């Protein structure tokens, strides 16, 4: 039966102060009654955005003249949306609190999670169904000009040169010298050849890194990093159309849905099925069993995430709010001849599995 808010407060405090999963047994001490809450489903949208920072090199004005390459000419910061991942979870519904009363003399038990949601009845081996792997934020790697090799590539002449044009000329000359040195090593024409293959590899790697550092002084550098944020949407009993879940700014990255500095990231959810009351053999709706153990018959919805005209995610999920609450006869779980168990979905309150223990 549905119970008032005050009766559940003590139960919630008891479970949330303990481990994630708690086992409660119906005994004489609690008058063979167990208290639990059915969840409301919320939608978590995890967005992954990439930040790209481009920085001009010191000699970018001379890149075309000495190296015939087009350089980065001004500093820029740009963001783009890489991925969207949608998951569901349950949160407490204060209107769906229940007390189920079992027969005296039997000792059925329930596993409840930290939010007082039912996980199982008469079953100890509960395992949460694995969800999709979510992306994680990635920091920017240092550019070649931020590594020690950049200092090694700068010659004494470059340091002493008084004009930027002269430094650029000397840097370009050093690049061509490095390329000649690499060619001499590969063809075996170097004055001092490395002693073995490992030494050869190290010498070539050093030349490559110096050339990369000097080239970056002309062409510039590009750094990328990613940011990951999760935004939560609580569905009502209606469909969601063109709901702005977050925004993306080309210069500031992921923003809250209310920040007009970014372009909208839309969530659309179309109800594909509404949970219905079970029917009997005559096609008549069954009545809620007296003192029944309440559970949800959820509905389902097709969900899309769209940004800038691109479909970023598409999937279908069970949603508690699109369904109904029904009940099982508690006597099912107190039959000593056959132990019946149930496994629930903590995101919807639905029964995932119902059967007899082997």
């Amino acid at each position: 039966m549905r119970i008032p808010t005050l009766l559940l407060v003590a139960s919630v405090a008891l479970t949330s102060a303990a481990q994630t999963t708690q086992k409660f047994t119906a005994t004489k001490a609690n008058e063979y009654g167990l208290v639990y809450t059915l969840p409301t489903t919320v939608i978590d949208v995890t967005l992954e955005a990439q930040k790209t920072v481009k920085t001009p090199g010191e000699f970018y004005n001379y890149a075309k003249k000495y190296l015939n390459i087009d350089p980065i000419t001004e500093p820029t910061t740009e963001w783009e949306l890489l991925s969207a991942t949608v998951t569901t979870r349950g949160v407490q519904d204060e209107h769906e609190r229940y007390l189920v009363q079992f027969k005296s003399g039997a000792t059925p038990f329930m596993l409840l999670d930290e939010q007082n949601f039912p996980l199982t009845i008469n079953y100890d081996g509960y395992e949460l169904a694995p969800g999709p792997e979510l992306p994680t934020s990635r920091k920017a790697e240092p550019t070649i000009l931020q590594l020690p090799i950049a200092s090694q590539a700068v010659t004494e002449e470059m340091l002493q040169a008084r004009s930027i044009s002269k430094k650029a000329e000397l840097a370009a000359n050093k690049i061509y010298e490095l390329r000649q040195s690499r060619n001499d090593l590969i063809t075996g024409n170097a004055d001092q050849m490395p002693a073995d293959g490992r030494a050869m590899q190290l010498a070539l790697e050093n030349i490559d890194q110096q050339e990369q550092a000097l080239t970056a002084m002309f062409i510039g550098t590009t750094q990328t990093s990613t940011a990951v944020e999760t935004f939560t949407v609580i569905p009502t009993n209606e469909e969601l159309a063109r709901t702005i879940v977050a925004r993306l700014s080309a210069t500031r990255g992921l923003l809250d849905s209310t920040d007009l500095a970014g372009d909208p990231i839309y969530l659309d959810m179309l109800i594909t099925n509404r949970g219905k009351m079970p029917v009997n053999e005559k096609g008549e709706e069954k009545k809620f069993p007296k003192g029944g153990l309440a559970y949800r018959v959820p509905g389902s919805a097709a969900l899309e995430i769209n940004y800038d005209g691109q479909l970023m995610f598409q999937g279908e999920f069970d949603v508690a709010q699109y369904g109904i609450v029904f009940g099982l006869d508690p006597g099912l779980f107190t039959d000593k001849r056959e132990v019946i168990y149930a496994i629930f979905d903590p995101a919807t309150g639905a029964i995932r599995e119902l059967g007899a223990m082997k």
Side-chain angles (χ1 to χ4, degrees), residues 121-124 328 332-343 351-358:
I121 298 178
N122 291 341
Y123 185 74
D124 270 320
L328 291 173
L332 280 174
F333 304 99
T334 57
D335 189 338
K336 296 181 179 179
R337 294 169 300 177
E338 188 175 43
V339 179
I340 301 299
Y341 72 94
I343 300 175
I351 293 178
R352 279 172 39 192
E353 190 175 330
L354 180 68
M357 296 291 288
K358 295 181 180 179

Side-chain angles (χ1 to χ4, degrees), residues 132-167:
E133 185 175 349
L134 297 178
T136 56
S137 299
R138 174 176 52 81
K139 293 182 179 180
E141 297 289 338
T143 70
I144 189 70
L145 294 180
Q146 295 169 331
L147 298 176
I149 193 66
S151 298
Q152 298 176 25
V154 176
T155 65
E156 185 176 349
E157 285 182 291
M158 289 171 62
L159 292 173
Q160 293 176 349
R162 294 185 178 182
S163 68
I164 191 73
S165 60
K166 184 61 176 178
K167 288 182 179 180

Side-chain angles (χ1 to χ4, degrees), residues 205-228:
E205 288 176 356
N206 184 267
I207 289 173
D208 289 342
Q209 290 175 353
Q210 286 193 56
E211 182 182 346
Q212 290 174 26
L214 291 168
T215 302
M217 295 177 188
F218 288 91
I219 198 172
T221 59
T222 300
Q223 281 182 299
T224 61
S225 59
T226 60
V228 176

Side-chain angles (χ1 to χ4, degrees), residues 4 50 57 62 77 89 96 112 125 134 189 209 223 231 237-238 251 269 293 301 312 316 333 345 350-352:
Q50 179 172 277
Y62 304 92
T77 299
R89 58 184 171 89
E96 299 295 338
L112 303 177
L134 297 178
N189 293 324
Q209 290 175 353
Q223 281 182 299
F231 300 85
N237 194 37
E238 303 300 326
T251 56
M269 192 152 63
L293 184 144
M312 304 300 299
E316 188 164 349
F333 304 99
D345 180 355
I351 293 178
R352 279 172 39 192

Side-chain angles (χ1 to χ4, degrees), residues 148-259:
I149 193 66
S151 298
Q152 298 176 25
V154 176
T155 65
E156 185 176 349
E157 285 182 291
M158 289 171 62
L159 292 173
Q160 293 176 349
R162 294 185 178 182
S163 68
I164 191 73
S165 60
K166 184 61 176 178
K167 288 182 179 180
E169 180 185 355
L170 293 170
N173 290 337
K174 181 62 184 284
I175 289 174
Y176 291 116
E177 288 176 11
L178 289 168
R179 291 176 180 175
Q180 184 61 50
S181 296
R182 180 194 297 111
N183 186 63
D184 290 342
L185 284 173
I186 293 173
T187 58
N189 293 324
D191 293 336
Q192 291 185 337
M193 291 295 295
D196 51 33
R198 176 59 179 164
M200 169 72 86
Q201 181 182 358
L202 292 174
L204 290 174
E205 288 176 356
N206 184 267
I207 289 173
D208 289 342
Q209 290 175 353
Q210 286 193 56
E211 182 182 346
Q212 290 174 26
L214 291 168
T215 302
M217 295 177 188
F218 288 91
I219 198 172
T221 59
T222 300
Q223 281 182 299
T224 61
S225 59
T226 60
V228 176
E229 292 192 40
T230 298
F231 300 85
T232 299
V233 176
I234 303 177
T236 61
N237 194 37
E238 303 300 326
E239 294 180 343
L240 298 176
R242 303 299 281 176
T243 298
I244 299 175
V245 66
R247 292 177 183 269
L248 181 68
S249 165
T251 56
R252 293 170 52 196
L254 292 169
L255 305 174
D256 185 79
S257 61
T258 59
D259 193 331

